[in-house]
Amino acid sequence: MTRFFVSPEELGNDNIQLVGENASHAKVLRLKAGEQVLVCDGEGREYLCAVVDQSWNLEVLERRESDTEPAVQVSIYMAFPKADKLE
């Protein structure tokens, strides 16, 4: 499913309009009316939406908390190579 990331200020009550880069991506993906997409607000919530028309209006079908964050934290360390091997 296609996922779009928008700022919380761009969210409406029951409708969302994709603008700027998100609208360009929707056009390239050739989304049709009735297709479902996920819209994330960056604050832990996601919205299941349906495309209404080609001006990239979306109708919010469902609001829910995003559960995509992993339960385990991972730290990655890199050892520095000797001499000029880093390049």
Side-chain angles (χ1 to χ4, degrees):
M1 182 172 297
T2 305
R3 187 177 295 238
F4 293 97
F5 296 91
V6 299
S7 64
E9 296 83 32
E10 293 181 55
L11 297 172
N13 293 333
D14 291 329
N15 293 317
I16 299 171
Q17 171 137 19
L18 297 178
V19 294
E21 199 171 287
N22 284 330
S24 298
H25 288 166
K27 182 177 181 179
V28 168
L29 292 171
R30 297 181 179 166
L31 295 177
K32 306 264 189 278
E35 287 189 54
Q36 293 185 350
V37 297
L38 276 176
V39 176
C40 301
D41 66 358
E43 294 184 348
R45 289 179 295 279
E46 61 186 17
Y47 304 86
L48 179 64
C49 299
V51 177
V52 176
D53 55 26
Q54 294 301 317
S55 61
W56 312 120
N57 290 313
L58 306 177
E59 177 186 4
V60 177
L61 302 175
E62 179 183 348
R63 292 174 162 82
R64 58 187 177 210
E65 294 296 317
S66 179
D67 59 353
T68 58
E69 293 296 321
V72 179
Q73 285 188 322
V74 176
S75 297
I76 298 175
Y77 296 94
M78 178 182 151
F80 290 108
K82 295 182 182 178
D84 62 346
K85 303 276 186 191
L86 183 62
E87 296 175 9

